[in-house]
Each structure stands twice: as structure tokens, then as C-alpha cells.
Amino acid sequence: MKLLEDKIKQEGKVLEGGILKVDGFLNHRLDTALIAELGADVAREFAASGANLILTVEASGISLAYATGLKMGLPVLVAKKHKSLNISDGVYTAPVFSFTHKTENVVLVSREYLSAEHKVLIVDDFLASGNAAIGLLSLVEQAGASCVGFVAAIEKSEQGGRTRIAEKGVKVYSLARIKELRAGDIKFE
Ligand code: 5GP
């Protein structure tokens, strides 16, 4: 999506370790008009998917998930991050290694809000190696629900997450696909 690619070129900063900083518009200060446009694009793409629930993970996936859910008239389930597996019953859990923090977290959702009748569209801010996506997919599988797609605002293709998700038969849709991420030189697919 050109709007997002232009914004990344103008304001994105490339940090050590292949991290793109987009704090100014996507996950610290939020550009509400831009995120609304992104959500509308995702809603168009998945209009015929039969999705009846959006799933994301706190905190930086929430803004795009909300914009998408609002356009599609769907609720958004926000998986919580926890530091240990020592958690009460009544939740589905999955371990997720964090690309940005290099630590392992557990993501969890209440069994009350995710069940077999759900057709889930998963939404996150970034797709890198796919760990977050695979963890969220595991929650969907544990509930006996199905997944109609995985959406990322920004995909970093070099890190291979797309293949891992597609291998599970899940459609991957990203709004900006970065082919090469170098300081001063961001190339899109
Ligand atoms: P993955 O699990 O696919 O390796 O990484 C996805 C998660 O890590 C996303 O939820 C996102 O929060 C974070 N992440 C991965 N790469 C980047 C990046 O380049 N910049 C930022 N800000 N977050 C990233």
C-alpha cells in the first residue's frame, strides 16, 4: 500500500539488528487517519472471508486490529503477554519468543472468548520471523477455531515469517512488504 510505504520511507528509522522503528505513526504515537486507512484496506481484502473475530496481541497490534474490527463490524480479542507459563486454568496459552526484546513470553486468551465457532482474522503490526503469528495461531487451534488469514501492517520478507504461516495453509496479507532493510535504503517488494 503506497500510503504506508511512503510513510515508512519518510519517517521510519532502521536500528541495529534489522529493526524498523515506526514509533512516530504506528506503535507509540498513532497516526489515526493512516491507521484507519490501513484498517479499511484490510476490511476490503477480507470482506468475503467469513471472519467473525479479530485476534491481536498487546500492545502494538491493537491499533490496526481495532481499525479493522470497526470497519468489519467485528469484536477484537487482544491476547495478553505474560512472563511465565504459571497461569490459572480457563485460558489458552502459547510461548512466543520476542524478536525485539529477545525474551520468551507467553501469550494467552480466555477460553470464554475463543471457541470452535470462531473464524479468526489475526492482525499484528509486524511480521518478521513469524513467532508471534505462530503463537497466536496455536491459540486458535487449541480452541478448535479456524483462521481465515494473518495480517501485518509491515512485513520484513527477509526474515521468513510468511513461509512459516503459509505452510499452515493460512493466507498472509501485509500492507507494506520490505525486501531489504538498510539504514537510508529501504526497498519494498
Ligand atoms: P516475529 O514474531 O514475526 O519475529 O516478530 C513480530 C513481532 O515482533 C511483532 O509483534 C512486533 O511487535 C515485533 N517486531 C518485529 N520486527 C519489528 C521491527 O522491525 N520493528 C518493531 N517496532 N517491532 C518489530
Side-chain angles (χ1 to χ4, degrees):
M1 191 189 196
K2 188 164 182 320
L3 189 65
L4 180 58
E5 290 180 2
D6 288 346
K7 191 79 170 170
I8 293 168
K9 276 188 203 148
Q10 283 157 15
E11 294 188 25
K13 293 188 185 72
V14 181
L15 306 183
E16 292 281 302
I19 292 178
L20 176 65
K21 194 162 181 267
V22 286
D23 276 18
F25 59 94
L26 192 64
N27 48 28
H28 187 29
R29 181 176 60 174
L30 305 179
D31 182 330
T32 52
L34 173 72
I35 294 168
E37 289 286 335
L38 304 184
D41 183 281
V42 176
R44 274 192 298 274
E45 181 68 22
F46 287 91
S49 66
N52 57 12
L53 183 71
I54 310 283
L55 173 65
T56 189
V57 58
E58 64 180 8
S60 48
I62 296 174
S63 57
L64 178 58
Y66 179 82
T68 304
L70 189 62
K71 267 283 172 198
M72 296 180 82
L74 297 178
V76 176
L77 182 59
V78 181
K80 295 184 179 295
K81 279 183 190 155
H82 215 274
K83 288 211 165 17
S84 79
L85 258 175
N86 193 8
I87 299 158
S88 68
D89 295 344
V91 292
Y92 297 113
T93 62
V96 171
F97 185 77
S98 162
F99 175 80
T100 39
H101 299 107
K102 310 291 179 223
T103 53
E104 184 148 295
N105 282 309
V106 175
V107 290
L108 64 96
V109 293
S110 168
R111 288 173 188 243
E112 196 183 338
Y113 300 127
L114 183 61
S115 47
E117 76 271 12
H118 285 121
K119 291 191 167 79
V120 181
L121 179 61
I122 304 177
V123 174
D124 203 359
D125 61 341
F126 273 88
L127 171 59
S129 66
N131 289 331
I134 297 293
L136 292 170
L137 260 171
S138 164
L139 301 178
V140 172
E141 285 161 3
Q142 289 172 54
S146 58
C147 181
V148 303
F150 175 83
V151 172
I154 303 174
E155 174 181 354
K156 297 182 294 177
S157 307
E158 285 180 318
Q159 289 170 258
R162 174 174 287 261
T163 311
R164 291 177 70 198
I165 304 166
E167 273 168 1
K168 290 188 163 274
V170 172
K171 167 177 168 169
V172 179
Y173 183 66
S174 39
L175 296 153
R177 289 183 74 185
I178 295 175
K179 187 162 65 177
E180 274 180 49
L181 188 65
R182 314 274 173 269
D185 182 24
I186 300 175
K187 288 199 176 70
F188 295 92
E189 298 277 358

